[in-house]
Amino acid sequence: MIKDIIAEGLASGWQHIDGANQQGEQELDCDVLIIGSGAGGGISAQVLSQAGLKVMVVDEGPLKSSQDFKMQERSAYPDLYQESAARKTKDKAISIFQGRCVGGSTTVNWTTSLRTPEPTLQHWQQRWGFKQLNSQSLAPYFVKAEQMLGISPWLQTNQNNALLAKGCEVLAWSYQAIPRNVKQCWDLGYCGMGCPTNAKQSMLVTTIPAALNAGATLLSRFRVQTLHFDKGAITGAQLQALDASQRLHGESIKIKARQVVLSAGAIGSPAVLLRSKVPDPYQLVGKRTFLHPSVMSGAVFEQAVNSHQGAPQSVYSDHFVWREGSEGECGYKLEVPPVHPILLATKISGFGQFHSDMMQQINHLQVTIALLRDGFNEQSIGGQVQLRDDGSPVLDYPISDFVWRGARRALLSMAELQFAAGAKQVFPLHEQSKLVSSWPQAKTMIEQLPMQALATRLASAHVMGGCAMGGDEQTSLVDEEGNYRWLDGLSVIDGSVFPTSLGANPQLSIYAMALRNAELLAKRLQA
């Protein structure tokens, strides 16, 4: 029988307030209010609560446990994702997958755990004034996070990943095994719907329980409306309760805190700052938000691939990421996604009979994705988080010609790779593409496809930036310890502090930086 960590913790007396059950106004106080319970918030909660500080953690999503994860897309997406996994950029051109539950995106991601690439750290030092953060200073925190969360290369490769490796071998492209944050993994392949066996070492089953065991309080289904501040210092925040359908139901909680750690992610954190009208003399909040915009290519194989089974990601190729240097043409990372029915149906191009034919071949489909490395070149400045009339955030991300050139090269690489791996047909996910049966046919077609928003299918599960870290107050909102430059008592500890994208899946980078900055914050607050 699978141990239900959450149910046992609640029975043992964890302090948990569910916004759906909130009645009436309430005032609470703490030393540290942490907004968000994902990679940054979860690590911060454990470090600060175990340091003896009175910690409250708030998340706008629900608290779920392994018993709630049924490996069903129809319930997982509305229950666990922002906007029911239908979040898009302002022009609807890029789909964005972000978790909205306790544990955040770590509860629903595909477990890939890669260290920050060395070229990225060097770029930050040269262009963004980083002096403290480099591979040497971060190494102990990477090691600590890897040991905490069971991160090591996963060597059981499903067919989806094996075909990526095979294509690389045939073409003599480099590829590597992916480290995953799992312990005693059953290799089910449904990581994106929450782990029903607690094998995934997400924040839901690691740092959040550790923080609650140390006396922290968890508030789920509460939205942070605004931060409170006075005379240049944070004093607390106003929270609005959400019902079981994630709608405001009129009740609120006011929390007094001497320190706020903002860990709501690269769309949520800027949104809180914008709603709060915090000091921002250089108008940087929400600017330079990055996505690793990802193009996709499907391939039909004679043999069954069954891309929904087994570890979603276990092989990647960085062959094209840094070929022209960090500031050269847009590089791209090659990975594969799991192929589940709803995910495929909503991303595959075409309609009618073509769409139906592709869905019927789902078990013979291999899908490769290319993550475009945005933010390193002056022609790639990312997007901007804005607020709708109701205060909810939306990301305006115009796609530059620089990114489109990378997208076309990536589609070419993926088609070449899939034919090299033995595909009988390939189709780039683009509204004007068709099934082609050879690499020369694919090359001719892709070179003629218009690279346009809404025609080229794009998706992202990596939102970064919007609260840039750096050494210059005119170009960065937080310093290298995550301190907000214009308000005392406010830290930002999540992926929003990255001044560019990473060129790698972000969760391990956030863990390492969160460990460092949360430990430094704990020492300051204890002094």
Side-chain angles (χ1 to χ4, degrees):
M1 184 173 180
I2 298 168
K3 182 179 180 180
D4 190 328
I5 297 169
I6 302 301
E8 290 185 7
L10 292 171
S12 73
W14 281 354
Q15 299 178 69
H16 172 230
I17 303 173
D18 187 339
N21 301 324
Q22 179 69 21
Q23 296 182 347
E25 307 297 307
Q26 193 173 358
E27 286 195 13
L28 302 170
D29 67 86
C30 61
D31 295 315
V32 186
L33 173 63
I34 300 174
I35 302 171
S37 61
I43 292 284
S44 299
Q46 176 173 334
V47 170
L48 294 166
S49 59
Q50 290 181 344
L53 294 159
K54 185 178 180 181
V55 171
M56 292 185 175
V57 185
V58 59
D59 199 291
E60 72 173 11
L63 174 62
K64 299 287 187 178
S65 75
S66 53
Q67 293 187 55
D68 298 311
F69 302 142
K70 306 296 186 185
M71 302 196 300
Q72 295 285 331
E73 290 179 286
R74 61 185 177 182
S75 57
Y77 296 155
D79 284 351
L80 305 175
Y81 284 77
Q82 292 285 358
E83 301 176 29
S84 299
R87 173 170 273 183
K88 295 180 184 296
T89 49
K90 191 173 183 178
D91 63 359
K92 315 297 184 190
I94 309 176
S95 299
I96 301 172
F97 299 99
Q98 285 185 291
R100 188 213 54 201
C101 53
V102 173
S105 292
T106 72
T107 300
V108 295
N109 70 18
W110 301 337
T111 72
T112 297
S113 304
L114 301 169
R115 293 189 181 191
T116 314
E118 181 62 27
T120 302
L121 292 169
Q122 290 180 4
H123 178 83
W124 291 354
Q125 291 158 31
Q126 294 164 4
R127 296 288 178 176
W128 293 93
F130 279 52
K131 295 179 180 176
Q132 303 171 25
L133 290 174
N134 52 51
S135 55
Q136 290 74 35
S137 65
L138 283 172
Y141 300 101
F142 282 127
V143 171
K144 188 173 183 178
E146 288 161 351
Q147 291 174 344
M148 283 174 57
L149 304 174
I151 294 172
S152 62
W154 188 256
L155 303 178
Q156 294 173 245
T157 301
N158 69 6
Q159 273 297 300
N160 201 20
N161 286 272
L163 290 168
L164 171 62
K166 182 180 178 182
C168 287
E169 288 176 354
V170 171
L171 297 167
W173 296 353
S174 61
Y175 71 94
Q176 294 80 28
I178 288 180
R180 306 178 63 218
N181 57 320
V182 295
K183 293 180 180 177
Q184 299 180 326
C185 177
W186 291 23
D187 212 14
L188 295 174
Y190 288 72
C191 306
M193 295 159 223
C195 182
T197 69
N198 289 326
K200 187 198 302 185
Q201 298 300 288
S202 69
M203 300 300 93
L204 178 65
V205 300
T206 56
T207 57
I208 294 299
L212 293 170
N213 286 333
T217 299
L218 173 66
L219 297 96
S220 64
R221 288 196 273 225
F222 281 93
R223 180 172 299 160
V224 176
Q225 196 63 28
T226 55
L227 303 177
H228 295 159
F229 52 91
D230 184 46
K231 298 176 181 177
I234 284 289
T235 59
Q238 187 77 23
L239 280 54
Q240 299 290 329
L242 305 175
D243 63 20
S245 300
Q246 294 294 126
R247 296 186 177 90
L248 297 173
H249 66 77
E251 308 295 349
S252 64
I253 289 181
K254 181 179 180 181
I255 297 182
K256 294 180 180 178
R258 62 181 173 122
Q259 180 76 35
V260 166
V261 174
L262 189 51
S263 303
I267 291 179
S269 288
V272 171
L273 296 176
L274 289 169
R275 284 199 298 269
S276 305
K277 296 181 171 57
V278 297
D280 177 21
Y282 297 101
Q283 300 297 295
L284 299 175
V285 173
K287 303 281 182 59
R288 292 187 61 82
T289 301
F290 302 102
L291 288 174
H292 286 157
S294 301
V295 287
M296 299 157 273
S297 183
V300 182
F301 282 78
E302 192 69 41
Q303 72 274 26
V305 180
N306 295 323
S307 298
H308 60 286
Q309 295 179 347
Q313 295 187 319
S314 56
V315 173
Y316 71 100
S317 173
D318 275 357
H319 193 77
F320 297 98
V321 179
W322 307 104
R323 287 170 72 90
E324 299 189 31
S326 62
E327 297 183 41
E329 284 292 320
C330 191
Y332 46 92
K333 185 183 197 70
L334 300 178
E335 296 179 345
V336 304
V339 182
H340 295 284
I342 294 177
L343 184 64
L344 176 65
T346 56
K347 294 294 162 286
I348 198 169
S349 52
F351 55 90
Q353 190 61 49
F354 176 84
H355 194 281
S356 175
D357 290 345
M358 288 298 97
M359 292 303 298
Q360 290 183 48
Q361 298 189 76
I362 186 170
N363 288 336
H364 289 258
L365 292 180
Q366 194 270 352
V367 178
T368 301
I369 56 176
L371 289 63
L372 297 159
R373 179 175 54 80
D374 49 348
F376 291 78
N377 184 289
E378 61 183 13
Q379 299 177 61
S380 176
I381 61 172
Q384 178 180 353
V385 175
Q386 302 171 347
L387 297 180
R388 301 184 180 96
D389 291 343
D390 65 355
S392 64
V394 63
L395 176 62
D396 184 22
Y397 190 106
I399 305 168
S400 67
D401 290 342
F402 176 85
V403 172
W404 281 130
R405 291 198 299 273
R408 190 187 302 278
R409 291 196 307 277
L411 288 173
L412 287 165
S413 295
M414 291 189 289
E416 184 178 11
L417 178 139
Q418 288 170 318
F419 279 118
K424 63 177 186 179
Q425 291 176 305
V426 166
F427 60 101
L429 269 60
H430 187 289
E431 289 299 332
Q432 297 183 26
S433 70
K434 60 182 180 181
L435 278 166
V436 290
S437 301
S438 70
W439 163 231
Q441 287 180 356
K443 186 171 185 292
T444 299
M445 179 180 70
I446 293 169
E447 287 175 343
Q448 295 174 355
L449 288 174
M451 291 291 108
Q452 296 174 344
L454 302 177
T456 308
R457 290 297 172 96
L458 289 162
S460 171
H462 302 163
V463 192
M464 300 154 283
C467 299
M469 175 184 287
D472 183 348
E473 69 177 30
Q474 295 189 33
T475 58
S476 61
L477 282 165
V478 302
D479 64 21
E480 288 180 76
E481 295 186 12
N483 301 311
Y484 192 77
R485 294 188 182 281
W486 313 106
L487 279 176
D488 292 336
L490 176 60
S491 303
V492 184
I493 301 181
D494 61 16
S496 72
V497 302
F498 299 151
T500 67
S501 73
L502 296 175
N505 307 52
Q507 77 164 334
L508 181 52
S509 294
I510 301 173
Y511 291 145
M513 290 192 199
L515 277 169
R516 174 186 183 272
N517 288 348
E519 289 180 2
L520 292 171
L521 176 60
K523 289 178 182 176
R524 290 202 303 275
L525 294 176
Q526 290 171 315

